[in-house]
Amino acid sequence: MNNNEKNNFQKCDLHTHSTFSDGTLTPAELVREAKRLNLIIALCDHNTVSGLPQFMYESENIGVEAVPGIEFSTEYNSKELHIVGLFIAEKNYSVVRDFVSESVKLKELSNIHLVENLKKAGFTVDYDKIKAATPNGQVNRAHIAAELLNQGYVDSINTAFKTVLSKKNGLYIPPKELKTTKVIEFIREIGAVPVFAHPLISLSCKELVSILPELKKSGLFAMETMYSLYSNETTAVAKQIASSFNLYESGGSDFHGATKPDIFLGKGKGNVDVPVEVYYKLKELSEKIK
């Protein structure tokens, strides 16, 4: 891709999902939609890099600037935090798979346990059926929520998460996650860029500021300051915190397709507008640390 082609891109979306986790577009479909929108795009499926070969092949094939990534589910002081790794080299895909293999097994057991608890509570659900209907067979709560929606138990996937599938309801027991600091260190070890995903969704400003020194010590380079569920005020606060801790900015829609129908690629709920300069700064950083 030459420089003239690169200059055609208007903005970027550095946080999206495909059918290889809980999105509803294939990696190739994501790339084609990014092409239509003149968008630089990153694929960050949950705890998997299995969609990246298709994603990168299609991006090269049709001329889209694409970022191979992943979103890790992690644990810090009993809180679930998400860390995105951007610019993952193809040679390290197998290393990433090995790193998350135990977490994937624990997630599968958590899914099975959740479905068993749903059955005991009177819901007619079958894990084998859900798994068979799930693209690529990687199940998470979004797929179970979709089955509850299909059967009329809830009126939306969002409702399922807020009610029957909520941790507070007691049927869902989260699996043990990788430690946040260890994940950041791992991302650095493979020459990728660690990004704190939507930190102000999980944490208060005070909590975020209190843990950033340790995360930076582990190698954190950036945090998402632009995100679909952020208000203008939250975005401004996130930018201020990133600046005060000398962190690069990142951002994205967290697009999932039909799983989150009110969130659109490249613009979130209409409030996400990540300039291409954000991508180029992170890309330059990735080239320095490899």
Side-chain angles (χ1 to χ4, degrees):
M1 190 179 301
N2 60 45
N3 288 331
N4 288 332
E5 287 176 311
K6 288 181 180 179
N7 291 336
N8 288 331
F9 294 107
Q10 301 301 309
K11 56 183 180 177
C12 59
D13 190 334
L14 302 181
H15 189 156
T16 74
H17 297 276
S18 79
T19 50
F20 279 81
S21 57
D22 53 353
T24 56
L25 295 188
T26 67
E29 288 170 339
L30 268 175
V31 171
R32 290 194 287 271
E33 184 64 7
K35 175 78 170 180
R36 186 182 72 81
L37 297 170
N38 293 323
L39 190 69
I40 296 171
I41 187 174
L43 178 60
C44 308
D45 277 321
H46 297 286
N47 302 309
T48 182
V49 292
S50 295
L52 293 182
Q54 180 188 142
F55 178 71
M56 297 307 292
Y57 175 84
E58 186 67 9
S59 68
E60 184 66 27
N61 188 44
I62 67 173
V64 169
E65 191 83 358
V67 183
I70 186 173
E71 183 175 11
F72 292 96
S73 299
T74 77
E75 184 271 326
Y76 186 96
N77 288 346
S78 299
K79 284 208 171 189
E80 182 178 332
L81 304 179
H82 289 193
I83 303 294
V84 163
L86 296 178
F87 301 97
I88 298 174
E90 184 179 2
K91 66 181 181 180
N92 288 320
Y93 290 176
S94 60
V95 180
V96 174
R97 290 191 187 99
D98 290 343
F99 182 71
V100 299
S101 61
E102 185 61 26
S103 292
V104 171
K105 291 177 184 175
L106 292 174
K107 180 63 177 176
E108 178 87 350
L109 291 174
S110 174
N111 290 333
I112 293 170
H113 190 221
L114 171 58
V115 170
E116 288 174 349
N117 285 342
L118 286 168
K119 286 180 179 179
K120 291 175 184 176
F123 295 89
T124 305
V125 287
D126 182 86
Y127 188 70
D128 290 337
K129 177 185 175 184
I130 295 170
K131 190 174 178 69
T134 302
N136 311 298
Q138 185 162 317
V139 177
N140 60 32
R141 274 190 298 164
H143 300 112
I144 297 171
E147 179 64 12
L148 293 174
L149 175 62
N150 290 339
Q151 295 201 37
Y153 289 118
V154 294
D155 59 11
S156 71
I157 288 175
N158 191 41
T159 298
F161 272 94
K162 288 183 176 180
T163 56
V164 64
L165 300 184
S166 167
K167 284 183 276 190
K168 295 179 181 178
N169 193 44
L171 300 181
Y172 170 63
I173 300 175
K176 184 178 180 181
E177 307 284 10
L178 294 162
K179 297 298 182 184
T180 305
T181 52
K182 294 298 182 184
V183 167
I184 293 170
E185 290 167 1
F186 170 76
I187 294 170
R188 287 290 303 273
E189 286 169 5
I190 62 171
V193 176
V195 180
F196 198 160
H198 44 72
L200 291 176
I201 295 299
S202 307
L203 303 170
S204 67
C205 292
K206 183 177 180 180
E207 288 172 326
L208 175 59
V209 168
S210 71
I211 72 170
L212 278 178
E214 183 179 1
L215 300 191
K216 277 206 69 177
K217 187 177 179 180
S218 297
L220 185 69
F221 274 137
M223 62 177 260
E224 290 180 352
T225 60
M226 295 155 278
Y227 184 66
S228 294
L229 300 184
Y230 280 4
S231 65
N232 290 338
E233 180 182 9
T234 303
T235 297
V237 170
K239 285 177 173 288
Q240 183 179 24
I241 293 173
S243 176
S244 65
F245 280 89
N246 241 358
L247 290 168
Y248 285 73
E249 291 188 46
S250 186
S253 63
D254 202 359
F255 175 78
H256 283 68
T259 308
K260 296 182 179 180
D262 58 338
I263 293 177
F264 298 90
L265 190 65
K267 61 182 182 180
K269 294 188 174 186
N271 59 329
V272 175
D273 187 8
V274 186
V276 291
E277 289 76 18
V278 169
Y279 160 76
Y280 287 118
K281 286 179 181 178
L282 290 172
K283 184 180 181 183
E284 183 180 6
L285 172 62
S286 75
E287 290 169 349
K288 288 179 180 178
I289 65 177
K290 282 183 178 176

